[in-house]
Structure formats: structure tokens, C-alpha cells
Amino acid sequence: MSEKMWAGRFKKQLDSKVNDFNSSIRVDCRMYKQDIGGSIAHASMLAKQGIISEEDCEQIIRGLEEILNDLDNGKLELDLTAEDIHMFVEAELTKRIGDVGKRLHTARSRNDQVALDIRLYLRDECDEIIILLKELILELTKKAEEHKATVMPGYTHLQRAQPITFGHHLMAYAMMFLRDIQRVEDTKKRMNYSPLGSCALAGTTYPTDRYDVAKSLNMNGITLNSLDGVSDRDFAVELGNAIALIMMHLSRLSEEIILWSSWEFKFIELDDAYSTGSSIMPQKKNPDIAELVRGKTGRAYGNLVTLLSMLKSLPLAYNKDMQEDKEAIFDSIDTVKLCLSIFAPMITTMTVIKENMYNAAAKGFINATDVADYLAKKGLPFRTAYKISGTMVAYCIDKNTVFEKLSLAEFKEFSDLFDEDIFDAINLERCTFARNSQGGTAVESVEEQIKAVKEILK
Ligand code: ARG
């Protein structure tokens, strides 16, 4: 363990177990790029403002760039006894360029430094999550285009409700993931403000220019209150929330994929490359990926609660509790990226078994609403028509038959309004493709949805 930078105030060395407990370098080392980038912006500003000399600034920047390079290609190993990545980089800089390195931390504290680094890191991750969401949406729209006329049962309460197209069903998820993109974009907008220059908590007596740092880091501006700048991690909670929602959406699609690939449904078959077998039952082909995504959703929820609980009741300003933010939000990020990247090709490669979808839709009195609509359009109040249709369902179940097999005479026993055209009105294709209201399930409506989504993604 090397000597601590704050050793001056202490008479004894830190206990080595305590050092280990206190250290976050194993977790925060992944922010080294952001840490060094932030330091370079800071040093440049210090020089511009005449707080350090131009020569010192150049030395510092060169030293930092070399460290970055060496970390990038594995030439420089991390000192795992260091307190965190910020201390490590600074110590390494001083090792390399001597006392000049000790000027870097002028008008800065680790409190604003870490607050900046985590914002920069999460900002970059937002972009990656958005790219993965876009890929998934594009795969969903491609499949939806292929299956805009594939008839399947639509469910409520997991009971057959009304016929829909498979394309319509897939586009429902495309819309959810589209909102997820907007949520991540929105989160990114708010987090992209620089807290650097808040210093420990109260600002500084040096003539710093915080806007200069924000500008060179491509941020939207600065946090306007120094206490707030070092104290809040609401942006991490927001991203944790956006990720929890993405995972929630993925888990619902996962659940459907699991159901659809069961023998009971057999609406789809997953590609061999995206399923696994059983160690004992030779016939099995398991949707493990969908199950794992469903299972991992719990982590994202857990991380969100961790972040909220970590911040709850913390007095201003920095408290060490806040070091716990990274493990939670990094795990959410890793999880969602992994799930999204594996989900898109699983959708692309799955086989849709159209005839099973169609046959399932042809059963279960899925056209009962259309019988009621038929009577309502001929003048009956909808509630009365609904009751007649219900009575007819009971009659058919009793006689072990379906609407399509009734004779016109039988129809007429329930209402005089029934005519020859009832058979067309209850035809499965018609029931599906005639639902062409805005946002409905008909082919042209699904086409509209696909067009709109592609337009927004452009
Ligand atoms: N490793 C710390 C964290 O992640 C850095 C900030 C430490 N500041 C301090 N005054 N102890 O939160």
C-alpha cells in the first residue's frame, strides 16, 4: 500500500482490511477515460485562467495522455490498493512528471471530480443503450413487415379475445422500446451538466471558469449550485429507472416468446443457435435466453432500489455512501446491454408458424364481438347486441359447435336482423383486416405504424 495523499493528518497507516473495504478502484476503474478527459479539461482551464503556468499545463496534459495510452493498451497496471481511480491516476501522474503533477488538483476536489466522471461515463453509456434499442426496434419492424397479414389470436387475461395480426403485436413492442429511447435521451440531457468546480462543496477562491470545462467536455452547461453539484445522483436513479423499464418491456416479450415456443402454443420456433437442450430429456428445446432476460429483470429493479435507498436521507453534501452508486448502475448498464444485444438476433432468426397462429385464432369464439357489432350496425343498441351474442356463444358451447357452422335459420332464432351477410361478417380474415381504425390491427394500419417508427428513428 503506497502512502495516502491525505497521510499528513494521520499518525498511523490505514489498516489493510480497511483499505480494501474503502477502496473502489475495482469498480470505478472503468471510468479512467472520463477521469483523464476531465482532468485534461480542468488543467487547460487552470492555465487559461492563469492559475497554473502554460508549461505546467502542457506537462500535465502530456503525462495524462501517456497514462491514458498505457491504460488503453494494458501497459500500465492498476494499483488495486489505491483508494479509487482518481487517486490512482493522480499518483501515477506525479510518479511520471514529478511535483508538477501535484498542481492538477488545484481548485478541485475528488467530490466534484467523481461527480463529473460518473456523469460523463453514464452519458456515453446512454448513447450505446440507444444504439442497441434502435437495432432491436429495426428487427421488430422488419419482422412486423413480414407478418403484417399473419393472423393470430389477441388475448386479454390470456384468454382469446379478438383476432390481430402478428405484425401488430410486434409493433406494440416497437412502440415501447421507442419510448425507452426517448426516456434515455431525456435522462442524458439532464445529466450532461458539469459539476466540476463545485470543489469539495462550497466552490473555490480561485478564479476558475466552469463553463470552459463544460464546453470542452461537450456538456450542456454547469450545475448552478456547488452543494447540489457534488451531492446528488438523481441522474443515476433516472438512468436506473429507464433501464428498469427497458428490462420490464424485454421481460414481457420474453414471457410471450416462452409461451409461444411451448408445445401448447407452438406459434414460433426459436433458432437452434438461440435455444438450449436438456441434460436428461432428449426432446427438449428450451428458450433459455428469454428466460434469462426475464430473470435478469429483477437485477435492474434491485439496482434501482439500491440507488434510491443509498440516497435516501443523506445530508448534504458528499457522503461515502455515494461510492455505492457505481456498482449498482454499472450492473444495470451491463445487464441491459447484454440482454438487448442478444435479443435482436433472437427475434430475427425465429421461425413463425403461421398456420398454428391462424388455427388458434379460428377457435374460441374470437369473432363474438363482431357478431355483436353486426347487430349494432343494423340498429340494435350495442348492449342488447352484446347480450344476444353471449347467448349464442352459450348455445354453441352447449351444442359443441361454432358460429361459422350455424345455419342462417339458427341465427334468425336469436335475431331477425341476421341475414346472409353475417357469414362474411364473422369471417376470420375480415374480422382482422377490417379493424383499420387508427392504431388498429389491419394491414394498412400496421404499415402506418412501421412508417411512423422508421420516420422517428431517422
Ligand atoms: N471513490 C469515491 C466515490 O466514488 C470518490 C470520492 C471520494 N471523496 C472523498 N472525499 N472521500 O464516491
Side-chain angles (χ1 to χ4, degrees):
M1 196 190 337
S2 49
E3 188 183 75
K4 294 289 170 211
M5 290 188 191
W6 34 257
R9 193 223 175 280
F10 291 78
K11 295 202 177 74
K12 268 202 223 165
Q13 264 225 341
L14 193 62
D15 177 86
S16 77
K17 263 196 187 157
V18 173
N19 186 62
D20 224 33
F21 180 70
N22 198 41
S23 168
S24 56
I25 191 161
R26 282 183 177 80
V27 176
D28 56 33
C29 60
R30 62 159 94 186
M31 306 192 302
Y32 74 87
K33 278 194 177 82
Q34 288 75 16
D35 190 70
I36 292 173
S39 288
I40 289 175
H42 180 63
S44 312
M45 181 278 289
L46 290 179
K48 274 187 225 165
Q49 296 299 105
I51 302 169
I52 62 170
S53 71
E54 283 294 342
E55 302 80 71
D56 287 354
C57 173
E58 274 167 31
Q59 270 201 64
I60 290 174
I61 291 179
R62 212 172 314 122
L64 286 169
E65 282 171 350
E66 279 170 22
I67 294 174
L68 178 62
N69 223 7
D70 291 351
L71 283 171
D72 272 344
N73 43 46
K75 258 178 42 201
L76 172 60
E77 247 181 69
L78 292 175
D79 170 10
L80 293 180
T81 68
E83 204 172 317
D84 50 35
I85 189 64
H86 326 292
M87 290 297 215
F88 171 75
V89 171
E90 199 188 323
E92 182 62 28
L93 181 68
T94 305
K95 219 196 269 171
R96 293 183 181 205
I97 66 168
D99 277 355
V100 176
K102 296 182 182 171
R103 295 192 190 275
L104 171 62
H105 213 52
T106 314
R108 182 176 83 169
S109 146
R110 253 187 313 154
N111 297 346
D112 56 342
Q113 189 180 354
V114 70
L116 173 72
D117 292 3
I118 181 91
R119 282 170 186 260
L120 290 174
Y121 184 85
L122 298 184
R123 175 188 78 175
D124 297 345
E125 291 293 343
C126 283
D127 291 338
E128 293 200 21
I129 294 169
I130 289 170
I131 289 172
L132 290 169
L133 280 166
K134 277 189 183 163
E135 276 166 21
L136 176 59
I137 294 173
L138 285 178
E139 291 312 321
L140 286 167
T141 45
K142 246 189 252 164
K143 265 267 178 293
E145 176 70 44
E146 263 173 62
H147 292 284
K148 59 189 177 193
T150 301
V151 177
M152 71 179 285
Y155 298 85
T156 63
H157 312 268
L158 205 58
Q159 302 284 323
R160 288 176 188 138
Q162 287 174 351
I164 57 173
T165 58
F166 188 49
H168 190 55
H169 199 117
L170 291 177
M171 286 312 291
Y173 283 104
M175 301 301 172
M176 297 177 212
F177 293 123
L178 198 59
R179 282 196 299 280
D180 286 329
I181 289 184
Q182 291 160 349
R183 241 184 304 274
V184 176
E185 280 172 345
D186 202 43
T187 301
K188 182 186 152 181
K189 247 182 254 158
R190 255 189 305 279
M191 78 169 57
N192 200 16
Y193 284 81
S194 171
L196 203 75
S198 300
C199 303
L201 72 164
T204 182
T205 55
Y206 291 99
T208 51
D209 180 1
R210 296 184 53 207
Y211 285 99
D212 178 80
V213 173
K215 206 167 143 222
S216 47
L217 292 170
N218 210 4
M219 300 180 93
N220 299 336
I222 64 168
T223 56
L224 294 175
N225 177 297
S226 64
L227 284 170
D228 169 50
V230 292
S231 298
D232 209 354
R233 297 289 184 267
D234 55 356
F235 53 88
V237 176
E238 281 193 46
L239 182 59
N241 172 63
I243 292 175
L245 286 172
I246 298 170
M247 290 300 296
M248 180 272 285
H249 289 147
L250 280 177
S251 82
R252 295 184 74 169
L253 183 49
S254 294
E255 173 69 11
E256 301 211 280
I257 286 173
I258 294 161
L259 285 172
W260 293 339
S261 52
S262 72
W263 279 105
E264 284 68 17
F265 279 80
K266 262 292 163 249
F267 287 179
I268 59 160
E269 182 160 350
L270 291 176
D271 191 76
D272 280 2
Y274 290 88
S275 344
T276 57
S278 154
S279 58
I280 171 173
M281 297 163 281
Q283 83 284 11
K284 292 283 287 279
K285 185 170 173 185
N286 298 329
D288 284 33
I289 296 179
E291 290 170 278
L292 265 177
V293 170
R294 188 177 60 181
K296 283 178 189 290
T297 302
R299 271 174 188 258
Y301 294 1
N303 292 331
L304 176 59
V305 174
T306 297
L307 287 167
L308 285 167
S309 318
M310 179 273 285
L311 288 168
K312 179 181 177 292
S313 317
L314 278 190
L316 303 187
Y318 178 83
N319 299 269
K320 192 76 172 195
D321 313 45
M322 289 155 74
Q323 179 165 286
E324 288 288 307
D325 60 352
K326 287 167 220 68
E327 232 174 303
I329 193 67
F330 291 171
D331 183 66
S332 281
I333 289 169
D334 293 346
T335 302
V336 79
K337 281 168 70 182
L338 196 64
C339 293
L340 283 171
S341 62
I342 208 153
F343 224 84
M346 180 174 75
I347 298 284
T348 317
T349 55
M350 75 186 186
T351 308
V352 176
I353 309 170
K354 287 191 198 178
E355 59 277 25
N356 288 352
M357 286 187 174
Y358 186 93
N359 290 338
K363 291 181 198 152
F365 300 98
I366 209 156
N367 45 13
T369 314
D370 299 274
V371 171
D373 283 342
Y374 174 94
L375 293 173
K377 282 177 188 167
K378 296 219 166 177
L380 270 192
F382 181 77
R383 270 284 155 254
T384 316
Y386 167 95
K387 198 168 172 196
I388 293 174
S389 174
T391 317
M392 291 176 68
V393 170
Y395 171 87
C396 288
I397 290 173
D398 237 25
K399 294 253 176 313
N400 197 20
T401 185
V402 288
F403 285 155
E404 290 86 340
K405 290 189 184 153
L406 298 181
S407 65
L408 185 57
E410 277 173 298
F411 269 108
K412 282 197 179 292
E413 277 176 36
F414 294 93
S415 167
D416 275 346
L417 294 171
F418 282 120
D419 240 318
E420 205 48 63
D421 57 349
I422 179 62
F423 295 105
D424 184 43
I426 59 172
N427 168 279
L428 185 55
E429 276 80 4
R430 211 206 81 93
C431 294
T432 315
F433 300 137
R435 289 201 157 80
N436 57 1
S437 54
Q438 293 149 354
T441 202
V443 176
E444 59 269 34
S445 165
V446 175
E447 280 169 345
E448 281 295 321
Q449 297 170 42
I450 293 172
K451 209 172 106 199
V453 166
K454 282 189 175 158
E455 199 54 46
I456 295 169
L457 283 188
K458 249 195 237 155

